Amino acid sequence: MADVVLETKALTKEFKGFTAVNSVSLKVQKGHIHALIGPNGAGKTTCFNLLTKFLVPTSGSILFNGKDITAVKPAQIARKGIIRSFQISAVFPHLTVMENVRIGLQRPLGNSFSFWQSESSLNRLNDRAMELLAEVDLETFADTITVDLPYGRKRALEIATTLAMNPELMLLDEPTQGMGHEDVDRVTQLIKKVSAGRTILMVEHNMNVVSGISDRISVLQRGALLAEGTYAEVSSNPEVMEAYMGSNTGVLEGAHA
């Protein structure tokens, strides 16, 4: 097995008697795109919230590069190199595309909130910002006010701002949610492109995306780990197919999470 970047051991989260995440043990290997899938209410986003410490686990542990980070606070999680994007695009709408990426670049420098700095002193970040925009095919939009970007391009910008924080592990929460086919294809290829030399854990409902780029897939059902393996393995698993029967379409056709 390749190096394990992220590992959970019997990770559990209970809410007043309801178990949202039930003894989930995951291993995310370095350099992989690892997808977390499952029907509605399976516990996928709750699992993400536990990994980034937006929620505190009831029990179990989380290890990052072999070190226990279960008690680490959210800001420290980010500093360690675990950076998350959200279902809802989290960019500054009234700044330009370039300015959004530049804010991400300031964070590792320790001056994220130094808005008193002169414009010229921040211009040294522009070359790196343009490199990141080129990586996500947004260089021609550098001076565009973000609110004017098409939805799919905003998600691309969010990936660029995530990359600006130099993540070792990127957590992508429903990166193609709400997109048309063209944007889905663009963002899927973008994720594949930026995964080079990085590790990605993503929650994704679109099975075409999952089958196209995932190295490994973990399937959750009612908060518990139901199956794990390649797309071919999990999509032919009778328990997985049964879990998706309540959806309008089967797992092979693109069931919604």
Side-chain angles (χ1 to χ4, degrees), residues 18-24 26 36-44 47 218-228 237-247:
F18 169 70
T19 304
V21 174
N22 187 5
S23 195
V24 169
L26 292 174
L36 197 58
I37 70 170
N40 275 333
K44 304 180 297 296
C47 198
S218 298
V219 186
L220 291 183
Q221 183 189 29
R222 298 191 186 98
L225 191 60
L226 179 65
E228 197 168 65
N237 183 310
E239 289 184 292
V240 174
M241 289 190 280
E242 185 179 344
Y244 274 90
M245 286 302 287
S247 301

Side-chain angles (χ1 to χ4, degrees), residues 65-83:
N65 287 324
K67 295 181 180 178
D68 194 318
I69 61 168
T70 314
V72 173
K73 295 179 180 178
Q76 294 171 301
I77 293 287
R79 290 190 196 103
K80 287 179 180 293
I82 302 175
I83 306 294

Side-chain angles (χ1 to χ4, degrees), residues 86-151:
F86 292 85
Q87 285 184 4
I88 300 169
S89 187
V91 290
F92 296 98
H94 299 296
L95 296 180
T96 67
V97 168
M98 164 77 84
E99 287 167 342
N100 265 282
V101 176
R102 209 163 58 180
I103 286 173
L105 287 169
Q106 287 180 67
R107 186 172 179 175
L109 300 178
N111 59 352
S112 308
F113 302 105
S114 299
F115 292 109
W116 49 265
Q117 288 195 11
S118 68
E119 181 77 12
S120 59
S121 70
L122 295 178
N123 283 342
R124 61 196 173 98
L125 300 176
N126 287 357
D127 287 347
R128 178 59 184 148
M130 285 302 294
E131 287 175 9
L132 289 168
L133 290 178
E135 195 166 348
V136 299
D137 302 320
L138 284 179
E139 64 267 45
T140 58
F141 295 88
D143 297 323
T144 302
I145 300 298
T146 300
V147 73
D148 296 329
L149 281 180
Y151 179 70

Side-chain angles (χ1 to χ4, degrees), residues 34-56:
H34 193 126
L36 197 58
I37 70 170
N40 275 333
K44 304 180 297 296
T45 296
T46 302
C47 198
F48 257 38
N49 286 335
L50 292 170
L51 294 176
T52 49
K53 308 316 296 291
F54 285 82
L55 291 173
V56 177

